[in-house]
Amino acid sequence: MPDDAAAVGLPEGAFEGRQAFHAHLRAALDAAAAQNWREIVLSDPDFLDWPLGERATVEALQAWSAAGRSLVLLAQRFDVFAREHARFVHWRRMWSHIVDARACHGPGLPQVPSAIWTPGWFLHRIDVEHGRGVCGRAPEGRRALRERIDECLRHARPAFPASTLGL
């Protein structure tokens, strides 16, 4: 997959700023659809400044969606989705069988990283406030990020249900 990642122009190296982060997320989702990636992890404390409610983002997720795919959402909380990412919430309802949403929050639990992880490429926002981070295909970077994500997932509980049923 590393050669495929380079072929579609996925970014490598340091980045800075919200616009760069958004552009990298869009590039990753476009590559996911074009290359039929089987697994994507989106991780952020709250996803507040992610462009998940944008039409282009949801269209890219729709193009990627298929049986056998897996999207893991990891956050401290998901309350922002209903207010900020309505298109994503609708898409999530339709594709609930491939989405696993988990919350990791509480005293003594690890901090949820702001990141995108795939088996062949990663993005890690190290300084969320200033939009600084690093992305690329380096196996050691992917492995280190996955270890942080897995530590959070070990403590996480199911969250952000596809639908809420009231009595």
Side-chain angles (χ1 to χ4, degrees):
M1 179 184 299
D3 292 335
D4 291 341
V8 294
L10 283 173
E12 293 268 339
F15 66 89
E16 184 170 346
R18 186 176 182 187
Q19 290 180 342
F21 167 65
H22 287 191
H24 292 359
L25 171 65
R26 290 181 192 104
L29 294 177
D30 288 344
Q35 298 175 19
N36 298 313
W37 292 354
R38 301 202 57 72
E39 179 181 15
I40 302 171
V41 177
L42 302 180
S43 172
D44 193 77
D46 60 17
F47 291 100
L48 179 63
D49 64 341
W50 289 54
L52 296 176
E54 292 180 359
R55 183 179 310 276
T57 301
V58 173
E59 287 173 353
L61 283 166
Q62 183 65 28
W64 167 79
S65 304
R69 304 289 164 85
S70 169
L71 174 64
V72 174
L73 297 173
L74 175 64
Q76 289 176 336
R77 62 182 192 274
F78 288 94
D79 57 328
V80 74
F81 278 81
R83 292 187 319 270
E84 302 292 330
H85 307 309
R87 285 186 183 102
F88 182 90
V89 171
H90 178 72
W91 174 86
R92 191 249 188 279
R93 269 190 225 117
M94 292 185 334
W95 291 96
S96 63
H97 57 286
I98 68 170
V99 179
D100 181 18
R102 304 229 163 230
C104 178
H105 183 65
L109 294 182
Q111 177 70 32
V112 174
S114 182
I116 303 166
W117 184 92
T118 75
W121 183 83
F122 76 98
L123 176 147
H124 185 192
R125 279 197 308 174
I126 298 163
D127 178 355
V128 175
E129 183 179 342
H130 297 101
R132 294 183 186 124
V134 64
C135 58
R137 296 173 284 141
E140 57 278 354
R142 286 194 327 268
R143 185 173 34 258
L145 179 58
R146 186 62 199 230
E147 287 172 2
R148 284 195 61 196
I149 289 168
D150 285 347
E151 181 62 22
C152 291
L153 287 172
R154 276 191 278 286
H155 299 284
R157 63 188 184 331
F160 185 31
S163 63
T164 55
L165 301 176
L167 296 177

